[in-house]
Amino acid sequence: MAFNAMWKPGPQAVAGMPGNGSANPALVIYLDPDSLAILPPSDPAAWPELIRLLRQIRDSADNLAVFLDKHKAVPDAQPE
């Protein structure tokens, strides 16, 4: 089943792993006001695929951040 979604984060958006080290780890992205959680499969044998995906997400997020930082709009200079 394919699922596509698109969100634009609000000003209070954050991401993290709540309960770091808990029995129920997850990557949670609080998008202000919506949220998205990525949970590991219950079978640890399937974790390598999730680990690969999480690393792709990390690397792609870093690439996007670098791109946006490089191309961000610079506010017009204020006249003196």
Side-chain angles (χ1 to χ4, degrees):
M1 174 175 144
F3 176 77
N4 295 303
M6 199 161 58
W7 289 276
K8 292 182 181 174
Q12 301 298 316
V14 296
M17 185 180 152
N20 195 0
S22 75
N24 300 309
L27 170 62
V28 180
I29 305 168
Y30 298 99
L31 295 164
D32 183 29
D34 301 311
S35 63
L36 169 70
I38 300 175
L39 308 172
S42 57
D43 181 1
W47 289 3
E49 290 87 8
L50 179 61
I51 291 167
R52 177 194 51 77
L53 174 63
L54 291 171
R55 289 185 173 138
Q56 285 180 338
I57 291 169
R58 175 199 61 201
D59 295 345
S60 297
D62 188 52
N63 290 340
L64 179 58
V66 167
F67 176 85
L68 294 175
D69 196 39
K70 183 177 179 181
H71 295 90
K72 65 185 168 195
V74 177
D76 293 334
Q78 298 294 324
E80 293 181 22

